[in-house]
Amino acid sequence: MKSTGLWIADSGVAYAEALMEYVNLRKSHLFHVRICTELRELKRALKEEEMEILLISASWYRSCKGLIRQTCVILLSEGSLPKGLGACPAVYKYQSAENILREIMYYYSEQEPQETYLTGIRKENRVIGVYSPAEGIGKTVFALTLGQILAESQNVLYLNLEECSGLSGIMGGSQWNTADLIYFLRQNKAQFLYRLNSMVRKLDRMDYIPACGSYTDFRQITVEEWQRLLHLIRTQSAYDSVILDIGSILGHEAELLRLCDGIYMPVRQDVISRSKVSQWEHHIQILDSMDIVEKLQKLELPAEELEPDSETELLMLPQQKLGGYIRGLLKE
């Protein structure tokens, strides 16, 4: 997939250059960025160059409007927009570059399809499943710590596939979550990668998409839609590793575990936990899914030094006992 041409048109030279540098640093595989800091330069470029996305100062838009052809136009607003431009897509100029880039990708993903989905699987990336039929064993804490450690040297995406993750109370709420990304796929729009990137949040260096916040939304997602989402992430994104934190998804966990390259299963030695794991293994045998068992690695996790109840404490986990345990595990 070729890079999308993003033009930044604003009279502030330092501003345009700083935003270009940020986009090139964060999403160079998605965008080819050029800037115009003089109005006459922009008018000439509009006549001669192909522009897929034009991020333009609201004060310049009116004088250039007649020259713009088949371009995703997003206004740079300094507050309120000039009269008559209120219906145009706009981003607030004086916010973080991360938020500006996220909004650019959102608006571009809403455009009419420019290309079809790619179909080839990226052989060099990995999907790591974290799953256990037992409860209360630190599965999600393990998955978040693993993701942060891998993200020290890789591009990592964490996806929570649980009916009730509880993460919004720790990591904060979000306007968009995984259910919204699935809804976007249902519309068969082609700009999947841009919508994905518009929803990404950060836990240190690790990317994540906020988990579903509604039981109803979650239960309406089919196993085929989860599979399609994972396929598109593997074929279109730049992630080296995708971590799936998998719950018991209406009986579909076997289909999702089969898509993983490796599976970690935290376990405990109490009677109830052992019995649940044994019952699950029997179920897998009945499903003739021994290929899942072959990828499975059972782990008895060390006792937690702290029970994280905030994002700050989640960020500390790679330096705690669990982090040391995972680092040793990855060296094996």
Side-chain angles (χ1 to χ4, degrees), residues 1 24 55 94 96 132 176 215-216 229 284 313 322:
M1 184 176 67
N24 284 336
L55 183 65
Y94 301 113
S96 70
S132 180
W176 307 107
Y215 284 107
T216 302
L229 174 62
I284 289 298
E313 292 186 349
L322 179 60

Side-chain angles (χ1 to χ4, degrees), residues 42 62 117 130 160 175 223 231 243-244 253 264:
L42 174 60
R62 276 208 177 102
Y117 289 125
V130 182
N160 186 285
Q175 182 180 3
V223 65
H231 171 76
I243 296 177
L244 300 185
E253 64 270 21
Y264 291 122

Side-chain angles (χ1 to χ4, degrees), residues 1 38 110 126 129 168 172 174 202 214 235 244 256 270 285 288 290 295:
M1 184 176 67
E38 295 183 6
E110 286 291 289
R126 283 176 52 81
S168 61
S174 174
K202 284 281 188 182
S214 163
T235 57
L244 300 185
L256 294 172
D270 62 279
Q285 291 176 6
D288 194 23
M290 293 308 294
K295 295 184 284 188

Side-chain angles (χ1 to χ4, degrees), residues 276-320:
K276 287 184 176 183
V277 171
S278 177
Q279 183 176 342
W280 178 82
E281 289 177 334
H282 179 66
H283 173 66
I284 289 298
Q285 291 176 6
I286 293 174
L287 293 177
D288 194 23
S289 299
M290 293 308 294
D291 57 314
I292 294 175
V293 176
E294 292 172 0
K295 295 184 284 188
L296 192 66
Q297 186 172 358
K298 295 179 183 177
L299 306 173
E300 189 169 357
L301 304 181
E304 287 293 332
E305 295 170 320
L306 57 82
E307 290 292 338
D309 59 7
S310 68
E311 184 171 335
T312 299
E313 292 186 349
L314 284 176
L315 291 168
M316 295 169 58
L317 287 169
Q319 283 71 54
Q320 303 296 320

